[in-house]
Amino acid sequence: MRNSAIFGVCGSIGKSLLANLVNKSKKNSNKLYCYDNNEENLFYLKKKYNNQKNVLFSYLDIRNYTECLKSLKNIDVVYHVAAMKHVEICEYSPIEAINTNALGTENLINASRENKVKKFIYASTDKAVNPTNVMGTSKLLAEKLVTAANLNNGGGTSYSTVRFGNVLGSTGSIIPLLKKNFFNNENLTLTDKKMSRFIMSMSKAVDLIIKCEKLMKGGEVFIIKMKALLIKDLIDVLANELAKKYNKKVLKIKIIGKQYGEKLYEELMNEEEIRRSYELKDYIVILPAYGE
């Protein structure tokens, strides 16, 4: 029997990962422990899986080390997808972002080591590459903590990272926001005509996490191959499709300027990482620098 734990289960990726793992667990007696500090969403998610006796939900804040330690007893695999994710919120609450994204990750790392967890998978973001904002910087620090956890690891835990682009349909991502503008008859907002982002589907994001868990040895950063997309093109297509579907006029696009902490474009890896990266069919794997 292999028990797993998801931290940040109420987020978009957490919920999709849960659905994927529940589907797999129907064939065995593995237990799946689900944690989040969003009480309301945790309540409704628990209701949804009420008939799944092997899926257990608890309220937990990863900034509380004592609770992290207790939560990981008899756990084999940790999926860490909990984070403060919104750039603007992190800019104005930097200490909270560091406490959650970096120190919270360190709590889970140490708790995993103490409980002799076998595998630890951390979900990061392309904003951690050459970061220009607090969110990206805190996620980069968390990535470094995860990689470094493999050094002199007496507990036998392997720690690896998956690095995402923008996940379509996730909480706070562009499509739900544009739909909200559209149905409220508001102008569709665009920060800059030159702004681009790496885009991936929710299913691809979850596939990357599952693939990482199977392939990881410890210390790697896994990145799915993605194409960059101009946000203006995405807005144009979405505006026209919504207008056709609901028989409404195409709303105007309002240029609002680059927001505090935003980058015009993201990167999948930095120059130093390129020299120790390897290309697989659908993925790029960056090996840890300490293995050289």
Side-chain angles (χ1 to χ4, degrees):
M1 186 170 72
R2 191 182 75 161
N3 299 328
S4 303
I6 302 174
F7 292 87
V9 72
C10 290
S12 303
I13 293 172
K15 285 189 284 190
S16 296
L17 178 61
L18 171 60
N20 185 291
L21 295 176
V22 165
N23 188 52
K24 287 181 170 60
S25 69
K26 289 177 181 178
K27 303 171 185 176
N28 51 54
S29 57
N30 295 344
K31 287 188 177 179
L32 186 55
Y33 295 84
C34 304
Y35 300 103
D36 207 287
N37 65 349
N38 187 321
E39 182 185 5
E40 183 178 4
N41 286 348
L42 196 65
F43 173 80
Y44 288 112
L45 199 57
K46 185 178 185 301
K47 289 287 186 185
K48 180 178 179 179
Y49 289 94
N50 208 36
N51 294 327
Q52 298 288 333
K53 301 305 178 186
N54 63 326
V55 183
L56 306 165
F57 294 87
S58 294
Y59 181 95
L60 185 144
D61 193 319
I62 62 173
R63 297 187 290 187
N64 186 328
Y65 176 68
T66 302
E67 291 303 310
C68 289
L69 193 62
K70 289 195 298 185
S71 71
L72 289 178
K73 288 182 179 178
N74 302 314
I75 296 296
D76 300 293
V77 181
V78 167
Y79 299 99
H80 174 20
V81 296
M84 285 182 64
K85 305 178 180 75
H86 298 283
V87 169
E88 189 173 354
I89 298 299
C90 291
E91 287 299 300
Y92 290 103
S93 306
I95 302 302
E96 294 300 316
I98 293 166
N99 286 342
T100 298
N101 293 351
L103 299 182
T105 298
E106 181 70 359
N107 282 341
L108 288 178
I109 288 170
N110 292 333
S112 296
R113 182 182 293 112
E114 287 296 315
N115 283 287
K116 294 180 168 52
V117 170
K118 292 182 176 65
K119 293 183 177 182
F120 181 104
I121 298 98
Y122 170 64
S124 187
T125 169
D126 55 6
K127 291 178 176 61
V129 181
N130 297 323
T132 59
N133 51 55
V134 172
M135 194 277 252
T137 303
S138 65
K139 296 289 278 185
L140 174 60
L141 178 54
E143 279 192 15
K144 297 298 185 184
L145 291 170
V146 171
T147 301
N150 292 279
L151 291 169
N152 303 315
N153 181 18
T157 308
S158 296
Y159 304 85
S160 292
T161 294
V162 294
R163 192 182 284 166
F164 293 144
N166 278 36
V167 181
L168 290 176
S170 61
T171 305
S173 66
I174 189 168
I175 289 181
L177 292 174
L178 292 175
K179 283 185 175 179
K180 181 175 178 292
N181 292 144
F182 178 82
F183 290 116
N184 289 339
N185 291 314
E186 300 168 345
N187 288 327
L188 304 178
T189 57
L190 173 65
T191 52
D192 193 293
K193 289 182 178 180
K194 296 179 182 178
M195 182 168 282
S196 66
R197 290 292 182 265
F198 288 103
I199 302 293
M200 62 193 301
S201 67
M202 185 66 70
S203 62
K204 290 286 187 182
V206 172
D207 285 346
L208 178 57
I209 295 173
I210 301 299
K211 192 76 170 181
C212 170
E213 194 268 312
K214 291 178 180 177
L215 295 178
M216 64 182 285
K217 301 296 182 184
E220 309 93 340
V221 176
F222 291 83
I223 309 168
I224 197 168
K225 292 179 182 177
M226 294 171 280
K227 292 183 178 180
L229 176 70
L230 282 172
I231 298 301
K232 181 183 182 301
D233 292 344
L234 177 61
I235 293 176
D236 283 339
V237 171
L238 185 64
N240 280 288
E241 288 300 313
L242 287 172
K244 276 194 282 185
K245 183 175 181 179
Y246 295 99
N247 196 26
K248 296 177 68 174
K249 67 177 182 179
V250 178
L251 299 179
K252 292 181 179 179
I253 297 175
K254 180 181 179 183
I255 306 295
I256 60 174
K258 191 160 65 77
Q259 303 300 291
Y260 189 44
E262 275 191 320
K263 295 169 73 173
L264 275 181
Y265 61 92
E266 303 291 356
E267 303 158 90
L268 291 179
M269 64 183 86
N270 61 38
E271 288 187 15
E272 193 278 328
E273 290 175 325
I274 290 173
R275 65 181 181 83
R276 48 189 170 86
S277 65
Y278 291 84
E279 185 177 1
L280 303 179
K281 182 182 178 182
D282 299 310
Y283 308 95
I284 297 168
V285 182
I286 302 171
L287 298 184
Y290 62 71
E292 297 177 332

